[in-house]
Structures are given as structure tokens and as C-alpha cells.
Amino acid sequence: MREAWMAIDQVDSLLEKKLEYAFSTDLGYLTACPTNLGTGIRVSAMLHLPGLVLAEQINQIIQA
């Protein structure tokens, strides 16, 4: 995760030198989606449900 973040941060820094980002001192970075206001970062995770079923882990996920 740390290596991925460092790579993305480098790309963002290079882009920021060339592009003007929409930014508000009150709201942070402005994006097309209001849920991403502020940092402009969106983090998500994807689960492979068939794999969890085969590994007999699906019930633990559902209960959590």
C-alpha cells in the first residue's frame, strides 16, 4: 500500500505543477462528486465473493 501511495503521490505532484485544480479554502479540493470533496481521494476495496464461498469465509464477512 505504501509503495502504491508513493507512486500515486508522485504522479499527483507532477500533474499539480501543470494543471490548475479546483480548490476551496473552506471545502478543500472540489470534485464532480460531493462525497469526494476535501482531499479528492477515493479509496475502495473489492472482494471476490466466489473465492470467499469456496474458502468458507463468506458467512464471517456477512456477519461482520
Side-chain angles (χ1 to χ4, degrees), residues 9-30:
D9 188 42
Q10 277 185 325
V11 170
D12 178 59
S13 295
L14 290 172
L15 286 173
E16 194 170 19
K17 290 177 184 177
K18 301 284 183 182
L19 302 172
E20 186 175 331
Y21 290 161
F23 185 81
S24 163
T25 54
D26 294 329
L27 301 173
Y29 289 99
L30 305 176

Side-chain angles (χ1 to χ4, degrees), residues 6 9 28 36 40 44-45 47 54 59-60 63:
M6 290 172 65
D9 188 42
N36 296 339
S44 62
L47 298 174
L54 290 172
N59 288 332
Q60 292 172 331
Q63 290 178 5

Side-chain angles (χ1 to χ4, degrees), residues 29-42:
Y29 289 99
L30 305 176
T31 66
C33 181
T35 61
N36 296 339
L37 284 177
T39 63
I41 296 173
R42 180 178 184 169

